[in-house]
Amino acid sequence: MNSWFHQSRRRLAHLIRGNRWVQVGALLVLSAGANALTRALGLGVPGSVVGLFILLALLFSGIVPSHWLNRGASGLLDHLMLFFVPAMLGLVDHPELVGPLGFKLLLAVLVGTPAVMIGTALVVEAGFRLRNRHAR
């Protein structure tokens, strides 16, 4: 059983390590699985949040080493701005957003964006420190 687990893990590592698209696919499968789990259990939390915690647990436990997903995650972050294009096109179709509702949304964006950026920076910094600690 233990040997089977290590052989399977080694084959999976070889498959995932060098291919960015396989890594992106693994992240998408994790996201879809977390969404399905959230719907099946009727949780009031978005599936992406559950998927994030599952991914963090897998990374911190060492079951999934970070280098297995590094290239795929970097590729997604490189094209992050493309994910906001549909939101901007929606604004053009809804002129009512240019008013009090739009002001509230703008305020939420102005407060939320720095909060997300600061949170991301803190998580990345913690990840680099953790990786450097293991490298020594």
Side-chain angles (χ1 to χ4, degrees):
M1 177 73 177
N2 199 13
S3 173
W4 174 84
F5 176 75
H6 288 295
Q7 282 183 343
S8 298
R9 189 170 189 259
R10 197 173 315 127
R11 287 184 189 139
L12 183 63
H14 181 71
L15 174 69
I16 290 178
R17 192 176 307 148
N19 193 328
R20 170 181 287 185
W21 295 109
V22 172
Q23 293 176 4
V24 170
L27 290 171
L28 291 175
V29 166
L30 178 65
S31 176
N35 282 327
L37 179 70
T38 303
R39 263 186 259 116
L41 296 177
L43 297 175
V45 180
S48 56
V49 173
V50 172
L52 176 68
F53 282 110
I54 291 171
L55 180 61
L56 282 174
L58 291 172
L59 289 171
F60 281 120
S61 67
I63 295 173
V64 175
S66 63
H67 65 271
W68 283 16
L69 302 172
N70 199 14
R71 292 183 67 203
S74 295
L76 289 174
L77 288 175
D78 288 345
H79 302 292
L80 185 64
M81 290 304 292
L82 293 176
F83 297 122
F84 294 109
V85 170
M88 292 308 293
L89 293 176
L91 182 63
V92 171
D93 287 341
H94 297 281
E96 69 272 11
L97 294 176
V98 183
L101 178 62
F103 176 74
K104 290 176 187 175
L105 290 172
L106 179 64
L107 185 64
V109 168
L110 291 176
V111 172
T113 301
V116 168
M117 292 176 75
I118 290 169
T120 303
L122 291 173
V123 168
V124 168
E125 179 67 23
F128 277 124
R129 288 183 183 197
L130 184 65
R131 186 169 66 178
N132 287 338
R133 188 172 6 149
H134 288 293
R136 292 180 188 170

